[in-house]
Amino acid sequence: MFGTESSLSMFLNTLTPKFYVALTGTSSLISGLILIFEWWYFRKYGTSFIEQVSVSHLRPLLGGADNNSSNNSNSSNGDSDANRQSVSECKVWRNPLNLFRGAEYNRYTWVTGREPLTYYDMNLSAQDHQTFFTCDSDHLRPADAIMQKAWRERNPQARISAAHEALEINEIRSRVEVPLIASSTIWEIKLLPKCATAYILLAEEEATTIAEAEKLFKQALKAGDGCYRRSQQLQHHGSQYEAQHRRDTNVLVYIKRRLAMCARRLGRTREAVKMMRDVSLNLCLRAIAMHLT
C-alpha cells in the first residue's frame, strides 16, 4: 500500500506543465467531438444519444428500478408498497406547459414510444388552463362556453374537436335587420369575434411543428387582442366584466409568451428576447396599475 502511494506521488511529481496542457487540449477536443455528434444525432432523431443510452442501457446495469418485474413478482399484499415505491421514484415536473404538447411532447412519443406526460401532469395542465382561460362569464359567449368544457376533457381528440367547434360557431354570421326605407329593409352582416382560446388549444395540441404552432398563435393574438380591447372598456362596469377582462389579459399574455417561445425555437433569438421583454414590462405596468387602484 505504501509502495503504491510512493509510486503515485513520484509519478505526479515527474509530470511537467506540458502534460497538463496536452491533457486539457485533448479533453477539449474530445468534448467538442461529442458535442458535434450529439447535435447531429438530435437533428436527425430528435433525442439525445447519451441520454437515450444512459436510460436504456446504463440504468438497468446500475440497478435502476424495473417496476413491471418487481410488481409481477410481488404478491397481492405487496402491490401497494411497490406502487408507492414507483411513485416515489418518478420525478414529476411542476410545469408541464414548458413544451408544446403537439409539436414537442408528441414528437418524443413518436421517437421513443413513451408517454412524456403522466396523469398527474395532465391534471396540472388542466388546472392551469381552467385558471388562465376561463371565467364566470363564459356562458355569455357560446364559444367560450364550449372551450370551458374542452379544457376539462381527458381525450386529446375531444379537446381538438371542441376547439374546431368553437371556431365554427364564431364563423356563423349574425344578421341584423336595419330599416333603410319604410317600404324596404337591408341586412347588415356582422362577423362574430374569433375565439382566441380555441386557437391556443389547436396550436398547443394539433400543430405538429413549431411553424404551424406559431401560425395559429398569431391568429390567436389577433383574436385575443380584439377581446382584450373590448373587455378593457367595460372592466369598471361590474365584477363580472372585471373577471372577463382579467381572463382576456391572461390569454393575451400567454399568447405573447408562447409566440416568443416559437421564435426562440425557430432561431429568432432577438425577436424572442424583445417579445419576452415586452411581456414582462406589460405585466409590471399592470401590477402597478392594480396596486394604485
Side-chain angles (χ1 to χ4, degrees):
M1 179 177 179
F2 292 102
T4 304
E5 292 180 356
S6 60
S7 61
L8 179 62
S9 60
M10 184 180 300
F11 170 72
L12 294 177
N13 292 330
T14 57
L15 295 178
T16 62
K18 294 182 179 180
F19 170 80
Y20 295 102
V21 173
L23 179 64
T24 304
T26 305
S27 60
S28 300
L29 177 61
I30 295 175
S31 300
L33 293 176
I34 293 175
L35 180 62
I36 294 174
F37 175 76
E38 277 286 311
W39 172 80
W40 171 83
Y41 193 88
F42 181 81
R43 288 289 300 272
K44 187 174 182 180
Y45 298 103
T47 184
S48 171
F49 176 78
I50 296 177
E51 182 179 357
Q52 186 177 7
V53 171
S54 61
V55 172
S56 303
H57 303 286
L58 297 182
R59 185 180 178 185
L61 296 177
L62 296 177
D66 189 358
N67 296 327
N68 294 328
S69 60
S70 62
N71 289 338
N72 292 331
S73 62
N74 290 335
S75 61
S76 58
N77 294 330
D79 287 342
S80 59
D81 296 335
N83 291 332
R84 282 196 297 270
Q85 182 180 3
S86 63
V87 170
S88 63
E89 292 176 354
C90 177
K91 185 174 183 181
V92 179
W93 296 101
R94 178 62 186 87
N95 186 8
L97 300 177
N98 271 333
L99 302 180
F100 297 98
R101 190 174 294 177
E104 294 178 318
Y105 282 129
N106 284 347
R107 186 179 67 180
Y108 177 84
T109 305
W110 300 334
V111 173
T112 63
R114 300 177 181 179
E115 290 292 337
L117 296 177
T118 63
Y119 183 78
Y120 180 70
D121 291 329
M122 299 297 289
N123 283 337
L124 286 180
S125 59
Q127 293 173 9
D128 291 339
H129 287 147
Q130 294 177 47
T131 301
F132 296 150
F133 305 145
T134 62
C135 66
D136 297 334
S137 62
D138 282 340
H139 64 278
L140 299 177
R141 297 191 288 196
D144 290 332
I146 294 176
M147 292 305 300
Q148 191 175 31
K149 298 178 181 179
W151 297 121
R152 300 192 184 101
E153 288 286 347
R154 300 295 182 188
N155 187 4
Q157 293 301 324
R159 290 195 296 270
I160 293 174
S161 300
H164 283 293
E165 183 182 355
L167 291 177
E168 290 175 0
I169 286 180
N170 277 19
E171 288 179 356
I172 298 175
R173 297 185 176 185
S174 60
R175 294 185 174 184
V176 180
E177 189 173 338
V178 180
L180 181 62
I181 306 177
S183 59
S184 64
T185 58
I186 63 171
W187 295 92
E188 181 185 359
I189 299 176
K190 293 183 179 180
L191 287 177
L192 296 175
K194 295 289 185 179
C195 183
T197 54
Y199 282 120
I200 290 176
L201 192 146
L202 295 178
E204 291 284 351
E205 303 193 15
E206 189 180 41
T208 57
T209 62
I210 300 298
E212 293 178 5
E214 185 182 34
K215 182 178 179 180
L216 289 170
F217 273 121
K218 287 181 178 179
Q219 293 177 283
L221 178 62
K222 184 177 180 180
D225 187 62
C227 293
Y228 172 79
R229 294 179 185 276
R230 282 189 293 271
S231 62
Q232 187 178 25
Q233 298 175 358
L234 302 174
Q235 61 176 323
H236 301 296
H237 292 187
S239 59
Q240 188 176 12
Y241 293 101
E242 185 178 356
Q244 186 174 346
H245 177 65
R246 189 182 304 111
R247 187 272 306 277
D248 292 338
T249 303
N250 292 334
V251 170
L252 191 62
V253 170
Y254 183 87
I255 294 171
K256 291 182 178 180
R257 185 173 69 88
R258 295 306 251 182
L259 279 173
M261 292 178 63
C262 289
R264 178 64 182 88
R265 298 287 199 281
L266 296 174
R268 304 195 304 268
T269 307
R270 291 186 178 180
E271 181 181 350
V273 171
K274 182 180 181 299
M275 295 178 69
M276 288 301 297
R277 187 185 297 116
D278 294 340
V279 170
S280 302
L281 180 60
N282 291 335
L283 287 176
C284 293
L285 294 177
R286 182 170 176 265
I288 293 173
M290 292 179 61
H291 179 71
L292 292 178
T293 56

